[in-house]
Amino acid sequence: MSIRSTQTLLLLGASGPVVFIATYLVNGAAQPDYVSSHDTISALSLAPHGWIQNANFLLYGALTLCFAEGLRRCAALRLTGYVSLLIAGAGLILIGFFPTDPVLDFPAGAPTTITTIGTVHSLGALVVFVAFPVAAFAAVSRRSPGWSAFSVATGVVSLAAVGAFFAAVEGTAEGANSLAGLYERLPTLFIGLWQIAFAVRVRTAHAN
């Protein structure tokens, strides 16, 4: 495996969260009835041009798989972390093909029904939410206390935000104010920063 191809895989992995976050922010801002702090990221698949968010999930999943492969080639992550990233990438691809059911009264007036497709999406999202923090925990290294602390902090705050998100969704009456959308976005930011930092760290160490 050439160093150049491995470096490319890491670069693609670092670009994944950047593209994902930028897309859902711009797409959300373009929807007149969509409130990012309230509505879920997945709900964008039910908005006009919903294929954009579906494609966003698919692309992020593919780039996460590239990230996992780049780390594997550099032996930068133990097996648990590698498998967790594979699961996260595959989970993102899965939820890209299986859109969510209407949630938190979006789209407005849509009946709150539970479908098989929506259930698959919810379960897939849960797997992704857990798999990324597990990968961060697996990146801990005795030789790098600073990096280890950052990885552990990323995993902890991400899981805490995920818990807050699900609590907000379950505890919110239909149409009521909620910060579920904000809580859901926090893990994407935390994990995204971790992915970028990890890719840069490994690329720098294996530049020669």
Side-chain angles (χ1 to χ4, degrees), residues 17 20-21 24 41 60 128-130 132-133 154-155 157-165 180-195:
F20 180 71
I21 293 170
Y24 76 58
I41 298 170
Y60 189 20
V128 172
F129 276 134
V130 173
F132 270 127
T154 297
V157 296
S158 294
L159 288 176
V162 168
F165 164 68
L182 173 62
Y183 296 142
E184 184 189 29
R185 282 158 175 76
L186 291 178
T188 70
L189 295 174
F190 299 146
I191 291 297
L193 289 174
W194 175 80
Q195 280 186 258

Side-chain angles (χ1 to χ4, degrees), residues 12 36 44 59-60 65 67-68 75 85 94 97 99 102 110 125 148-150 153-154 170 178 190 193 198 201 205:
L12 290 171
S36 293
L44 285 169
L59 179 59
Y60 189 20
L65 295 179
F67 183 53
L85 286 177
L94 177 71
F97 283 115
S148 296
F150 175 60
T154 297
E170 293 298 324
S178 168
F190 299 146
L193 289 174
F198 203 0
R201 184 171 185 267

Side-chain angles (χ1 to χ4, degrees), residues 114-136:
I114 298 177
T115 66
T116 300
I117 290 176
T119 300
V120 171
H121 180 95
S122 297
L123 292 175
L126 178 60
V127 168
V128 172
F129 276 134
V130 173
F132 270 127
V134 170

Side-chain angles (χ1 to χ4, degrees), residues 51-84:
W51 64 268
I52 295 176
Q53 182 53 43
N54 293 330
N56 197 25
F57 282 130
L58 295 173
L59 179 59
Y60 189 20
L63 293 176
T64 298
L65 295 179
C66 290
F67 183 53
E69 177 60 17
L71 294 175
R72 184 194 68 79
R73 293 185 183 185
C74 295
L77 191 62
R78 58 176 60 97
L79 181 61
T80 300
Y82 172 65
V83 172
S84 295

